[in-house]
Amino acid sequence: MFGIWSCAPAIQTLPDTLRQRMCVLLLHTLSHTHTTALTVNCLGVVKQMCQYSDVVCVLMRDLKDGGEDPLPYQPLPLILKKLLLSTQDSLQVVSVRCVCAVLIHAPLHFSSSFIQADLPGVEPLVRSLKETLGKSNTEVQIKGLELLTAILDRQPAAVRLFPTGSEFSAVCDVIVEGVASSCLQVSMCAMRAAAVLLRPNHQSSPVQLADVRRIAEVVMSKITEHHHTRSRESCSGSKSVTAGVLLQMLTCFDAACRLVEACVCDSTLKDGVCSAQETLESVCVFLLHCCDAACIPAVTGVCERVSSPQVLQLFLSVLSCQFSLCPDHMTSFSKKLAASGFIRLTLESKAQLCSGNRNASLNQICCDFLLKLCMCLISQEHTWTSELQDMERVLQESLPSLCCCASDWPSVLSDFPQSLRNTQHCLIYLLHLSLLHGDRFLSDSAMFSAVLRFISCVQDLPASVLSSVLYLLSVTQHAGPRLDTVPVSVLSKALSSCPLLFSRTLPLSVLSFIFMYPELSQRFGPPALTGRLSEETQEQEQEQELLELLHTHPAALLATLAVACDAESAASRSAVGVLQCYLRSADSSSISGTSDLCDQIRSALLNVLQRHTHTDGLSVLLDVSSVIHSSGQMEHTDFRLLYHVSNLVGKLDSSDSELLLSVFNFLYCFLSVCPSHATDRAVSLLLGNVRLMELLEEVLSASSSSSSSLLCSSLLLLSSLTLLQHKHSAQVHRSVSVDLHQIIRRLAFSKRHTDTLLIKCSVRFVQVCLDVDASALLCVCDAALQRPLTSIDGALHPIGHSGATSLMTALSALMLMTQDLMVSAALNCLRSLMGFLRRRSSETAHGVSAVDAVPDFLFTLL
């Protein structure tokens, strides 16, 4: 035809009846074609025909006037107007050319035809339905809604039925009113219409998100209402009705979710979204809330009574869609789904409804939902991209064929064929995820034995599978017997072949499981803790878990010490922090109750000192050793430790306050528990360390800048050295200068601003100075005494008369405190002071005792 109409001489010879017949055939073809290519070709012929004015008149008038034509067709203006509203650029361009070709002949005459050409049926029907829904004739309402559904369903996808937002909103008004109807049949018909209306091809430009939300909201309200009604009623005889109603509701809600998902994923739809009233994100969050608050309770309630593949398929489709709509909210939502048993629900439904190649579409949507849910949960536990990809591949390959009941899983795990390997790994992942979130497929005893058989039969497990196996064994260990040598060796071999496992944070249960067995804790304890301690920030809850681990498993303490002393790293620093918290806790004294552990700690400290690796962990290791010594346990290794610690002191500076504090504490604890027959050896070793004496002097002379803890430790250590030197008359290589008057002034005038422990240590040091009378080790500064010395100051040197009086007053005040230890320390020091005064000047002792500030009852105590 294109060739004929391209040849002007041939056209001139065509009779009018043939021309008219050709126009009818062309319009009939355009009215009923559904292919773009044929439409374009026909429009090309129309454009050629529009070169002739007489032919244009034939095409533009109603050729059916005056008789019935057996070939039905639509007028050319209506055809071209529909194509202008299509979504295909090629059809829009060709139709515009055809309109221009028509209008060029008689613009005023033909333009009215194009303006008046209307898309038949929708707008009048909408107006009629709006009137009908306000009345009580439900039959008419149902028929009207069915007609609307049919029009929406049969509308060609290439032609937009609602070019403007107002037209789309008008239809939504009718549908929302219909869904909200008290008549269930009317409501169901309206939902069927809504499901068709929410197809992407029916959306106006821009997409009216507010209207989509209105429809979803009224449907969810209806679901909630129906669910509560059915919960109150007896469900006997109405299970199929309930499932059918719910099916229609879910169909409508699923359509809303799919439309919004298309807007999220399709850039053309996303760019054409109307965000004046609703944003795309707010609608996505709203749909998630509806799913959580209405869909899940209603569907799970029905599924408890009847298994409907159609309902379940739509329900899982809605759940699966949420992962695309609200990815930022899926962390908490996926945990909630897993904790509510949705992994088990989906797998049990697969086993019940999809075995034997039944319900393939349901099986597919089950697999899709499980894959998204599991990967969302797994990504919260694993961060290695390659590992995540491997786990996703295993789940993707194995889930479709996994249609067996949970009771059959133990036998699947114990089978040997290599072909089942991915399926077994898939089962391990599923058991891990469900148990992690409080859902159990099997009893703990059955799971423990099944996983144990699996690990005994399979070698070279990926890190992700081995991690899950360890978790399952650790959580269900209580339901099974303690492992004997063979399975522990199998586990040890598996762990040795998978060092990647320890680069991640292992759960507390897995760490407890490892430290339960010596063979595992000795080899894998430190690396297992390293992964846990390598996190940049330790949450308070995680730190508390580690403290519980140290309290429960003494071997974990040794492993933590190994990590702390290994190197300057994030793990080392975290281990130091955990050990410091542990030492501050009341349970730290339990270390000394295990002799083997004490020996291992001594050996660890000795190795660190011999390697000269002075890390942050050395300080903590010394503190732990101090706790051991405080229990009174001593052996030959301790003197080797004393030698190395003494050498360590020679390399320290007074600015190394943290390590210096640990060293001083260690030395003080050592001297405190050292057997009497060995104290001369110990004190001689320390007095020969000139640098130690210098450091003690530097710390005490800079008391205003030194920490309270370091001052306490220095005073206690110097007190012990002074007493032992006096006892054994040990040789002194360097004396320590001390301002005793400053210490007395602190006791007399600065008690309120001084740490309580520092006051006790100061009192103890003053007592030692008074007891030894004169010490070769101490060089007491007497600058506070007037020169020349009076006879009384000379007799009471180095404290003098004023110092003795001030000390007496200070000690009397301390004895009035409510702390028993403080009172005891002050009383002992007062005894020493009275003894010192009696030895030096009995008259002064009598005069001091008569001071009004000293209560008589104190001397009664003395």
Side-chain angles (χ1 to χ4, degrees):
M1 289 182 68
F2 185 85
I4 294 174
W5 288 97
S6 300
C7 181
I11 297 301
Q12 298 299 329
T13 61
L14 288 176
D16 292 341
T17 54
L18 186 54
R19 287 187 184 191
Q20 182 171 328
R21 192 59 183 166
M22 292 175 72
C23 289
V24 170
L25 288 170
L26 185 60
L27 292 175
H28 171 77
T29 304
L30 278 170
S31 299
H32 295 87
T33 182
H34 296 290
T35 64
T36 302
L38 181 56
T39 302
V40 171
N41 290 335
C42 290
L43 290 176
V45 176
V46 170
K47 187 173 179 298
Q48 287 298 116
M49 295 171 71
C50 287
Q51 295 179 20
Y52 307 96
S53 299
D54 55 337
V55 177
V56 171
C57 293
V58 173
L59 288 170
M60 291 296 291
R61 76 170 186 263
D62 193 348
L63 301 178
K64 292 182 285 187
D65 291 346
E68 294 293 330
D69 195 299
L71 294 176
Y73 61 86
Q74 296 174 348
L76 181 61
L78 183 60
I79 292 173
L80 294 179
K81 192 171 183 179
K82 282 185 177 181
L83 296 176
L84 278 172
L85 297 175
S86 70
T87 58
Q88 298 187 34
D89 294 343
S90 58
L91 295 179
Q92 290 175 343
V93 170
V94 178
S95 62
V96 168
R97 290 175 178 171
C98 290
V99 171
C100 293
V102 171
L103 293 176
I104 201 171
H105 294 283
L108 294 176
H109 178 66
F110 293 130
S111 59
S112 61
S113 300
F114 285 105
I115 293 172
Q116 294 170 6
D118 192 14
L119 302 178
V122 176
E123 292 182 4
L125 177 60
V126 170
R127 289 193 296 268
S128 176
L129 269 173
K130 194 168 185 64
E131 295 177 5
T132 304
L133 288 170
K135 300 177 182 179
S136 59
N137 194 334
T138 57
E139 277 300 319
V140 176
Q141 295 171 4
I142 291 171
K143 293 298 182 183
L145 288 168
E146 288 177 347
L147 178 58
L148 177 61
T149 305
I151 292 174
L152 292 171
D153 189 43
R154 296 175 185 177
Q155 179 69 16
V159 179
R160 282 183 179 170
L161 199 54
F162 308 105
T164 65
S166 59
E167 293 172 324
F168 184 83
S169 296
V171 180
C172 287
D173 291 340
V174 171
I175 288 179
V176 167
E177 189 175 353
V179 173
S181 172
S182 58
C183 176
L184 185 60
Q185 290 82 1
V186 173
S187 183
M188 292 299 100
C189 286
M191 286 187 193
R192 280 191 285 272
V196 182
L197 178 67
L198 292 173
R199 292 174 183 171
N201 62 287
H202 284 317
Q203 303 312 300
S204 62
S205 182
V207 177
Q208 303 299 304
L209 287 178
D211 291 324
V212 175
R213 173 170 178 154
R214 281 198 302 145
I215 293 176
E217 193 168 11
V218 72
V219 171
M220 285 300 100
S221 176
K222 211 68 180 177
I223 287 181
T224 304
E225 176 188 333
H226 182 72
H227 172 57
H228 290 161
T229 301
R230 289 300 175 186
S231 299
R232 291 192 299 267
E233 296 175 355
S234 173
C235 296
S236 59
S238 62
K239 294 179 180 179
S240 60
V241 175
T242 300
V245 171
L246 186 59
L247 179 65
Q248 188 55 60
M249 294 175 176
L250 284 174
T251 302
C252 186
F253 187 69
D254 182 59
C257 292
R258 293 298 167 187
L259 173 60
V260 178
E261 183 183 33
C263 292
V264 171
C265 302
D266 189 337
S267 58
T268 57
L269 278 174
K270 188 174 184 178
D271 295 338
V273 165
C274 177
S275 57
Q277 297 175 323
E278 290 284 350
T279 63
L280 191 56
E281 182 180 0
S282 67
V283 174
C284 291
V285 173
F286 170 75
L287 292 175
L288 176 62
H289 173 72
C290 290
C291 180
D292 188 22
C295 271
I296 291 178
V299 175
T300 52
V302 170
C303 289
E304 289 174 357
R305 301 189 297 268
V306 58
S307 296
S308 171
Q310 295 82 9
V311 169
L312 190 61
Q313 182 174 335
L314 276 172
F315 177 53
L316 293 180
S317 174
V318 168
L319 292 179
S320 183
C321 191
Q322 305 309 310
F323 289 87
S324 302
L325 297 181
C326 298
D328 294 339
H329 295 76
M330 284 303 103
T331 298
S332 57
F333 186 63
S334 60
K335 287 181 178 179
K336 185 174 182 179
L337 289 176
S340 301
F342 272 81
I343 296 178
R344 178 165 47 85
L345 170 67
T346 310
L347 289 169
E348 287 177 351
S349 299
K350 272 170 56 69
Q352 180 183 358
L353 302 172
C354 302
S355 59
N357 296 323
R358 295 178 297 146
N359 298 312
S361 56
L362 172 60
N363 190 24
Q364 179 59 44
I365 196 64
C366 286
C367 296
D368 182 57
F369 167 68
L370 279 174
L371 182 63
K372 290 180 178 179
L373 175 59
C374 291
M375 291 310 300
C376 185
L377 295 170
I378 290 170
S379 62
Q380 299 167 30
E381 306 292 328
H382 302 266
T383 56
W384 293 69
T385 304
S386 58
E387 191 173 85
L388 287 173
Q389 292 173 346
D390 291 341
M391 297 174 78
E392 185 174 15
R393 176 186 55 79
V394 168
L395 290 170
Q396 210 162 17
E397 292 177 2
S398 305
L399 283 174
S401 59
L402 187 60
C403 295
C404 58
C405 297
S407 57
D408 298 328
W409 287 17
S411 61
V412 176
L413 287 174
S414 60
D415 282 346
F416 288 91
Q418 184 69 29
S419 59
L420 286 177
R421 197 66 68 234
N422 275 354
T423 302
Q424 291 173 328
H425 293 176
C426 178
L427 288 180
I428 292 294
Y429 293 147
L430 294 172
L431 287 170
H432 178 191
L433 290 174
S434 58
L435 191 58
L436 182 65
H437 294 91
D439 190 19
R440 280 173 163 76
F441 285 94
L442 305 169
S443 65
D444 286 352
S445 58
M447 188 179 299
F448 183 79
S449 58
V451 175
L452 198 59
R453 286 196 301 271
F454 169 74
I455 190 69
S456 302
C457 301
V458 182
Q459 298 178 349
D460 300 327
L461 291 174
S464 58
V465 178
L466 187 55
S467 175
S468 296
V469 165
L470 281 176
Y471 177 79
L472 293 172
L473 289 176
S474 66
V475 174
T476 58
Q477 164 76 77
H478 66 92
R482 183 178 175 85
L483 299 183
D484 56 24
T485 306
V486 174
V488 170
S489 299
V490 170
L491 275 174
S492 180
K493 184 178 180 180
L495 292 172
S496 299
S497 63
C498 192
L500 182 63
L501 177 68
F502 302 112
S503 62
R504 69 191 67 192
T505 301
L506 296 177
L508 179 65
S509 60
V510 173
L511 293 176
S512 299
F513 181 79
I514 289 175
F515 286 110
M516 190 182 298
Y517 299 97
E519 183 180 344
L520 298 180
S521 63
Q522 290 172 8
R523 294 186 61 185
F524 310 110
L529 282 172
T530 300
R532 180 80 175 218
L533 294 166
S534 294
E535 296 180 352
E536 293 184 1
T537 56
Q538 286 286 326
E539 299 291 339
Q540 185 175 0
E541 182 179 351
Q542 294 176 323
E543 189 174 89
Q544 188 61 38
E545 288 180 350
L546 287 173
L547 291 176
E548 291 177 7
L549 183 71
L550 298 185
H551 295 154
T552 308
H553 300 284
L557 174 63
L558 191 65
T560 309
L561 285 169
V563 176
C565 299
D566 184 41
E568 294 288 349
S569 63
S572 174
R573 289 189 290 272
S574 296
V576 170
V578 170
L579 287 169
Q580 288 172 340
C581 291
Y582 176 74
L583 290 173
R584 289 194 293 268
S585 67
D587 293 338
S588 60
S589 58
S590 61
I591 301 174
S592 57
T594 310
S595 59
D596 291 341
L597 178 62
C598 293
D599 293 342
Q600 291 174 327
I601 291 174
R602 289 187 179 96
S603 299
L605 176 57
L606 190 60
N607 290 334
V608 172
L609 292 170
Q610 289 173 339
R611 294 199 309 265
H612 306 290
T613 54
H614 306 147
T615 65
D616 292 342
L618 177 58
S619 175
V620 178
L621 197 53
L622 286 167
D623 292 340
V624 175
S625 300
S626 298
V627 174
I628 295 175
H629 287 146
S630 65
S631 66
Q633 296 186 20
M634 291 285 289
E635 60 171 46
H636 67 280
T637 309
D638 290 301
F639 273 94
R640 295 176 61 192
L641 286 174
L642 180 65
Y643 171 78
H644 285 289
V645 172
S646 179
N647 287 344
L648 172 64
V649 173
K651 303 171 186 176
L652 298 180
D653 190 81
S654 57
S655 60
D656 302 325
S657 57
E658 184 176 351
L659 185 55
L660 203 57
L661 174 62
S662 300
V663 169
F664 285 177
N665 286 340
F666 175 88
L667 296 177
Y668 172 71
C669 290
F670 186 95
L671 294 175
S672 299
V673 300
C674 185
S676 57
H677 66 274
T679 53
D680 58 339
R681 177 185 169 191
V683 74
S684 297
L685 174 65
L686 295 179
L687 291 176
N689 190 329
V690 174
R691 182 55 185 159
L692 174 60
M693 303 303 116
E694 292 174 350
L695 287 171
L696 286 171
E697 184 175 299
E698 290 175 15
V699 171
L700 293 174
S701 62
S703 59
S704 58
S705 58
S706 299
S707 68
S708 176
S709 300
L710 186 56
L711 282 174
C712 291
S713 184
S714 302
L715 288 170
L716 291 175
L717 176 58
L718 187 55
S719 299
S720 293
L721 289 172
T722 301
L723 282 174
L724 291 173
Q725 187 277 331
H726 181 74
K727 176 182 178 181
H728 298 290
S729 300
Q731 183 180 0
V732 176
H733 297 272
R734 186 192 188 283
S735 61
V736 179
S737 297
V738 180
D739 190 346
L740 189 58
H741 288 271
Q742 182 186 21
I743 297 175
I744 293 175
R745 283 195 297 273
R746 181 191 303 149
L747 294 175
F749 306 111
S750 304
K751 292 190 293 294
R752 295 182 179 179
H753 308 290
T754 305
D755 181 72
T756 303
L757 181 60
L758 180 56
I759 293 177
K760 294 177 184 176
C761 295
S762 300
V763 170
R764 172 60 182 161
F765 179 73
V766 172
Q767 180 188 350
V768 169
C769 292
L770 296 172
D771 286 341
V772 298
D773 211 351
S775 172
L777 177 59
L778 296 179
C779 178
V780 180
C781 176
D782 60 357
L785 299 179
Q786 294 181 355
R787 293 293 189 272
L789 295 176
T790 63
S791 59
I792 188 64
D793 284 341
L796 299 180
H797 188 273
I799 62 175
H801 182 271
S802 61
T805 305
S806 298
L807 181 59
M808 179 71 71
T809 304
L811 293 174
S812 300
L814 292 175
M815 292 187 65
L816 299 177
M817 298 180 68
T818 57
Q819 299 179 27
D820 292 342
L821 290 178
M822 182 69 77
V823 172
S824 176
L827 183 61
N828 290 333
C829 187
L830 189 58
R831 287 197 183 99
S832 297
L833 175 60
M834 296 307 299
F836 173 81
L837 293 176
R838 292 191 185 103
R839 290 194 307 273
R840 295 295 187 91
S841 173
S842 58
E843 294 180 0
T844 305
H846 178 73
V848 169
S849 63
V851 176
D852 294 338
V854 182
D856 294 337
F857 78 90
L858 294 182
F859 290 96
T860 304
L861 292 174
L862 292 171

